[in-house]
Amino acid sequence: MKTTLAIIPLLVVSSLPAFADSCCAAKNVPACCAKAEPAGTTLSDKSLYQTGSTWTTDANKKIKLADLKGRPQVVVMFFASCQYACPILVHDLTRIESALKPELRGKLGFTLVTFDTKRDTPEVLAKFREIRNLPAANWTFLHGADDDVLELAALLGVKYKEEANGQFAHSNVITVLNADGEIVHQLVGLGQDINASVRELEKLLINTNATLE
Amino acid sequence: MKAIRLTLSSIALPIMLWGGFAFASSNAPAGMALIDGGVFKPLFRSTADFKEVAVKPFYLDVLPVTNEQYLQFVRANPRWQRSAVKRLFADESYLKHWAGDLELGTNASPDAPVTFVPWFAAKSYAQWSGKRLPTTAEWEFAAAAGYTSADGETDVEFKRALLAWYASPAQQLANVGAGRTNYWGVHDLHGLVWEWVADFNTAMVTGDARGDTGLDRQLFCGSGSISARDVSNYTAFMRYGFRSSLKADYCVHNLGFRCAKDL
């Protein structure tokens, strides 16, 4: 499979150089093209990855949301010093992960975005991830500018508010994005039945299997 | 009644003179008014919320953004044309009262406030014009002013006019600027359309970090509402309720926006 994938883009580029840029607009081009295409050019109307905001990961790497493209993502907004809701929310995510068949687990990402732009620096987020033994390979924590956090919350339908004691009141929403960054499922509340979310992810992971290697 | 008005204006006059002085020495950008800073006291708060929010001085558009102004924005930013807009950012009602992508038509007067616009577009318009959307605290602070004083709560005439608007059903939208200016020289904060604010999604939280305990249970009707700071401020109740019901892609017939700017 790998060899085929590598050859087709080569052929497209070498035999039809003039069309290389617009390869994906053509209907009979193999699905491989999406991968060769720079992020942002083939996004659907409902893809969250259309937003241009830049984020810093817990590994101190600058990314755009579109960099998450290619595999399904489970997204929550949280803050690290949260005593009550967020630990449960993170626990819900690990429940979802362990409910998936082992061979599927590595094929999705968990992305946690902090409300607390002041205190949750990439270092704080990295520590949070380490303490909870969440592998960096598929767990990403994001820190962003206030305005971008507000916008992402708006996109996810998450409401939040900073309180006088530095805590945040916020809605608890687990969002499942497909490989293209479209919202396909949301689970609202804490400690909910995760079955529907797991089924939704399995469907996605089976469908997107081919693009993962 | 007359006596009360007299008393009010005798208090308001020195403030106005002082306020007028402040305006004269400021260089507000064209079409904007300087809003002196102050303290915004949220109408609703839980025990955990800030009791007061300091509002720094800022500039606010004197008028809401009009159809004509929004048309210029759409011309310059084709991705915001009705037929080109991404569904993620605007629901199906986006600019539905316009005749076409670049045509206002008979249902959208050029000088009426633009409506059927989502938060994303309002934000983008503000950025395009070198401004930003006001925060809830800023908007409420500016809108709390009466006709003659920064604190409309003491302005009986203003409060009566407010209630009259909130009580009357929506009609055909009037043009901007028809309403009386408030103390800051700003038109139409009340009486014309609702307006997007930058942090509309902080208005109220449900299913939150603390499972709603200690939250704004008093938002809703009934005797619970007496824990609000000012029970006579029904119009603020309505704005909070309205904001909390919004989603960022919603395009609503009576929801527009205006911009703000840092000093």
Side-chain angles (χ1 to χ4, degrees):
Chain A
M1 194 57 189
K2 248 191 179 153
T3 29
T4 332
L5 288 182
I7 288 167
I8 295 171
L10 257 179
L11 285 177
V12 172
V13 172
S14 57
S15 60
L16 295 167
F19 297 113
D21 280 349
S22 56
C23 75
C24 291
K27 283 206 171 86
N28 52 357
V29 165
C32 70
C33 241
K35 207 159 188 202
E37 194 76 0
T41 50
T42 57
L43 296 171
S44 80
D45 265 22
K46 291 219 162 186
S47 172
L48 261 58
Y49 298 160
Q50 295 174 84
T51 52
S53 47
T54 303
W55 303 78
T56 309
T57 70
D58 54 295
N60 241 318
K61 211 177 109 192
K62 300 264 183 234
I63 68 160
K64 299 221 185 262
L65 293 184
D67 294 334
L68 302 170
K69 198 176 168 215
R71 55 180 184 174
Q73 296 286 334
V74 183
V75 183
V76 302
M77 298 188 79
F78 87 116
F79 64 107
S81 56
C82 175
Q83 297 299 313
Y84 170 62
C86 305
I88 302 176
L89 208 50
V90 174
H91 180 64
D92 284 345
L93 296 187
T94 56
R95 275 167 66 216
I96 289 175
E97 187 175 34
S98 19
L100 287 167
K101 295 193 189 87
E103 67 269 25
L104 296 179
R105 285 180 204 159
K107 295 181 170 176
L108 80 163
F110 291 88
T111 302
L112 293 90
V113 184
T114 182
F115 299 114
D116 194 349
T117 56
K118 283 185 217 83
R119 287 178 297 179
D120 285 354
T121 59
E123 295 70 34
V124 170
L125 294 174
K127 192 142 199 195
F128 184 92
R129 192 176 55 66
E130 278 158 28
I131 289 171
R132 283 159 188 79
N133 287 318
L134 305 168
N138 61 338
W139 288 73
T140 308
F141 290 77
L142 296 181
H143 174 274
D146 287 331
D147 217 29
D148 297 331
V149 173
L150 205 57
E151 184 180 78
L152 183 63
L155 287 166
L156 296 172
V158 169
K159 300 198 169 192
Y160 70 99
K161 183 166 56 172
E162 188 177 3
E163 296 180 332
N165 60 3
Q167 298 273 301
F168 288 77
H170 59 92
S171 28
N172 296 300
V173 183
I174 296 175
T175 302
V176 174
L177 302 179
N178 65 17
D180 293 324
E182 298 167 335
I183 295 176
V184 291
H185 171 80
Q186 289 194 308
L187 183 64
V188 179
L190 291 171
Q192 300 290 309
D193 181 354
I194 55 164
N195 281 334
S197 314
V198 171
R199 270 199 306 277
E200 204 60 56
L201 277 167
E202 278 171 350
K203 241 191 304 179
L204 288 176
L205 292 169
I206 287 158
N207 290 340
T208 53
N209 236 359
T211 61
L212 284 170
E213 288 307 312
Chain B
M1 202 60 214
K2 228 171 192 170
I4 294 170
R5 280 218 187 122
L6 276 175
T7 322
L8 270 178
S9 55
S10 60
I11 298 166
L13 195 62
I15 299 174
M16 269 172 75
L17 288 174
W18 180 80
F21 208 77
F23 291 144
S25 61
S26 82
N27 280 321
M32 301 190 93
L34 173 70
I35 314 294
D36 281 346
V39 171
F40 163 61
K41 294 179 182 157
L43 178 66
F44 302 114
R45 51 184 181 79
S46 71
T47 45
D49 276 347
F50 293 100
K51 288 186 179 58
E52 296 181 342
V53 180
V55 176
K56 282 190 273 182
F58 67 103
Y59 295 121
L60 186 65
D61 280 352
V62 168
L63 300 168
V65 172
T66 64
N67 282 310
E68 179 61 35
Q69 290 169 324
Y70 195 82
L71 179 60
Q72 289 170 27
F73 163 70
V74 169
R75 279 212 181 93
N77 300 275
R79 70 193 182 96
W80 285 110
Q81 283 178 19
R82 196 170 67 187
S83 64
V85 76
K86 304 285 188 202
R87 262 310 146 253
L88 181 69
F89 300 123
D91 71 19
E92 288 78 8
S93 295
Y94 180 56
L95 296 177
K96 77 172 191 185
H97 58 318
W98 284 20
D101 270 347
L102 298 171
E103 203 187 332
L104 299 182
T106 48
N107 291 328
S109 157
D111 295 324
V114 67
T115 54
F116 290 110
V117 283
W119 176 80
F120 295 108
K123 191 167 169 252
S124 183
Y125 178 101
Q127 277 164 357
W128 172 73
S129 46
K131 301 177 186 175
R132 58 178 175 79
L133 292 179
T135 62
T136 304
E138 287 171 339
W139 197 99
E140 288 289 335
F141 180 78
Y147 296 130
T148 53
S149 120
D151 181 7
E153 282 182 32
T154 57
D155 192 331
V156 178
E157 199 186 346
F158 168 73
K159 286 188 93 166
R160 192 177 297 137
L162 260 191
L163 285 172
W165 177 52
Y166 280 79
S168 65
Q171 296 144 5
Q172 181 85 27
L173 282 182
N175 287 343
V176 300
R180 193 169 159 187
T181 55
N182 77 359
Y183 169 73
W184 303 111
V186 177
H187 282 278
D188 304 325
L189 285 166
H190 308 281
L192 192 55
V193 286
W194 306 88
E195 297 182 10
W196 283 110
V197 287
D199 52 347
F200 80 96
N201 51 348
T202 65
M204 183 172 69
V205 182
T206 50
D208 81 305
R210 261 157 286 315
D212 276 352
T213 53
L215 261 179
D216 294 337
R217 204 175 283 158
Q218 65 270 31
L219 274 179
F220 300 100
C221 322
S223 57
S225 64
I226 55 174
S227 44
R229 187 174 55 82
D230 174 11
V231 288
S232 72
N233 198 345
Y234 297 111
T235 59
F237 272 92
M238 291 183 69
R239 286 194 299 277
Y240 274 72
F242 183 65
R243 277 181 205 130
S244 68
S245 71
L246 291 172
K247 289 193 172 170
D249 64 338
Y250 280 13
C251 302
V252 185
H253 69 97
N254 57 355
L255 175 60
F257 68 100
R258 77 178 69 214
C259 305
K261 200 177 171 140
D262 292 334
L263 252 56

